[in-house]
Amino acid sequence: QRRHRSSVGGQLLPADEDPPKILITGSLGQLGLEMARFLRQMYGQENVLMSDIIKPTKSAAAEGPYIFADILDFKGLQEIVVSHRIDWLIHFSALLSAVGEQNVPLAVRVNIEGVHNVIELAKQYKLRLFVPSTIGSFGPDSPRNPTPNVTVQRPRTIYGVSKVHAELLGEYYHHRFGLDFRCLRFPGVISSDPPGGGTTDYAVFMFFEALRTGKFECYLRPDTRLPMMHISDCLRSLWEFLTAPPELLKRRVYNVTAMSFTPEELAEELRKYVPNLEVTYRPDSRQLIADSWPQVFDDSEARADWGWQHKCSLQQLVETMVKEVAPQVQ
Ligand code: AKB
């Protein structure tokens, strides 16, 4: 059942080494199920434990082990790590940028208190810990084109503030206690599993609406340029970084990306499949968030240090999404 694949930056397991036991928190969000599938191919179905506080669909639960885990319950997390002999923790639980602004106290609890718990847990049990960060950890004072790995970070959303907090706390625990903390700043991630509550989500919704109705009303201006990547590149970057030999890592937090585009450019590419696509624009509060974020993300350090390379271009992304979304809306 175990299959080991070679990849740039990713490290193969020696044949005689036991596979890691991996816990994914917040695994019913946009990335969780796909990440679990990816890792289960590498390390075996039983070694990847999905968790969340919501009930999984029958089909998600049928794919492999799934348990209840509340990231705000430290003792509960300890129990899971001990009983399941967890080695690696992938911490996906978070409220994204737009929804975080709707409920700041909840975002503080989930995104900040939750991170306190998983960092302390990872330290106690010597887990390798991955926490995603985001282009949203930058703000209006950051250079936007391009945005380098190390620069001013003064985000204006609670999501961004909580992610800067996670980056700094993780780096601190790494230097102070030797915690194997790893963090990638992702751009907008495009997948046919719909995201929830982000600012870059328009790019996913455009596919569903265009293929269903031939029309789309966009909540960002047509010229709003944001960094993006297809989920296949996102998951591969995570795995390659998580398994990169520590001596390759000059830092613990890296920018990664694949491309940047505007709603207008995405619509133009999509018109190859939906020629009469009509897009109208009605910017809302998410425009303000997007206007404070990077337009072009500089991930040259990830490329130089551990060999990050994206594979999916805008053309390939649109082709793949059309293939995956079309059967869902018919
Ligand atoms: C969001 O839009 O909030 C997320 C992100 C870029 O982190 N997709």
Side-chain angles (χ1 to χ4, degrees):
Q1 198 173 24
R2 256 165 71 187
R3 193 134 51 92
H4 295 161
R5 269 195 230 138
S6 164
S7 193
V8 181
Q11 200 185 34
L12 295 180
L13 272 180
D16 59 350
E17 204 173 285
D18 280 342
K21 290 221 56 173
I22 307 167
L23 174 66
I24 305 177
T25 67
S27 73
L28 294 182
Q30 186 191 8
L31 304 180
L33 183 57
E34 289 294 331
M35 188 77 240
R37 283 183 183 146
F38 185 103
L39 294 171
R40 281 172 177 161
Q41 283 222 320
M42 304 279 173
Y43 303 117
Q45 190 196 54
E46 70 287 359
N47 290 315
V48 180
L49 190 52
M50 290 177 66
S51 74
D52 211 311
I53 53 170
I54 44 184
K55 206 167 156 185
T57 59
K58 234 182 181 180
S59 65
E63 290 194 24
Y66 181 93
I67 51 161
F68 173 88
D70 178 357
I71 54 148
L72 297 176
D73 171 13
F74 187 69
K75 267 186 96 97
L77 292 175
Q78 284 181 304
E79 201 179 313
I80 292 169
V81 168
V82 170
S83 331
H84 295 271
R85 308 188 67 253
I86 298 299
D87 302 299
W88 297 357
L89 175 52
I90 297 179
H91 180 55
F92 280 156
S93 308
L95 261 64
L96 298 187
S97 55
V99 80
E101 294 310 294
Q102 311 299 316
N103 192 343
V104 174
L106 183 64
V108 167
R109 294 201 71 207
V110 174
N111 295 11
I112 297 183
E113 286 173 36
V115 161
H116 291 172
N117 283 343
V118 297
I119 287 193
E120 191 50 39
L121 188 77
K123 171 182 165 250
Q124 265 185 24
Y125 294 101
K126 300 195 170 18
L127 310 180
R128 187 175 298 183
L129 173 64
F130 179 85
V131 180
S133 185
T134 162
I135 50 171
S137 69
F138 297 92
D141 300 324
S142 313
R144 297 181 66 209
N145 187 350
T147 307
N149 218 94
V150 178
T151 187
V152 176
Q153 285 177 282
R154 285 289 179 277
R156 296 271 177 91
T157 60
I158 189 60
Y159 175 59
V161 170
S162 68
K163 289 298 185 182
V164 176
H165 168 265
E167 293 179 7
L168 293 176
L169 201 64
E171 282 182 352
Y172 170 77
Y173 269 64
H174 171 68
H175 294 299
R176 177 87 165 74
F177 303 113
L179 174 70
D180 192 352
F181 171 78
R182 303 182 186 215
C183 173
L184 293 178
R185 294 191 191 114
F186 289 130
V189 176
I190 314 295
S191 70
S192 52
D193 282 338
T199 301
T200 58
D201 296 2
Y202 88 83
V204 175
F205 301 151
M206 190 186 288
F207 288 95
F208 281 86
E209 289 305 301
L211 290 163
R212 206 166 53 87
T213 65
K215 293 193 174 91
F216 179 62
E217 185 177 272
C218 184
Y219 56 76
L220 296 181
R221 277 194 319 267
D223 60 347
T224 311
R225 183 172 302 284
L226 289 167
M228 301 277 183
M229 82 199 309
H230 185 254
I231 187 165
S232 56
D233 275 335
C234 170
L235 302 179
R236 190 170 48 81
S237 72
L238 197 164
W239 177 71
E240 290 182 4
F241 178 56
L242 194 61
T243 56
E247 60 276 12
L248 291 186
L249 306 184
K250 300 215 178 82
R251 53 179 78 259
R252 290 289 159 160
V253 181
Y254 283 93
N255 294 355
V256 285
T257 192
M259 65 192 86
S260 282
F261 57 73
T262 64
E264 207 168 31
E265 288 165 356
L266 181 63
E268 206 39 50
E269 190 58 37
L270 191 47
R271 284 199 185 93
K272 288 186 184 160
Y273 304 87
V274 187
N276 298 324
L277 171 63
E278 266 176 53
V279 183
T280 50
Y281 296 92
R282 184 131 66 104
D284 65 18
S285 57
R286 288 168 280 194
Q287 184 68 52
L288 277 176
I289 298 179
D291 286 342
S292 73
W293 282 3
Q295 295 176 319
V296 173
F297 216 30
D298 175 0
D299 62 359
S300 52
E301 292 202 27
R303 289 173 193 263
D305 291 358
W306 48 276
W308 165 239
Q309 274 182 309
H310 72 277
K311 288 190 182 157
C312 190
S313 64
L314 176 59
Q315 286 91 326
Q316 289 164 327
L317 178 147
V318 172
E319 190 187 333
T320 309
M321 284 292 286
V322 168
K323 264 197 209 127
E324 288 178 6
V325 173
Q328 292 187 47
V329 296
Q330 266 138 35

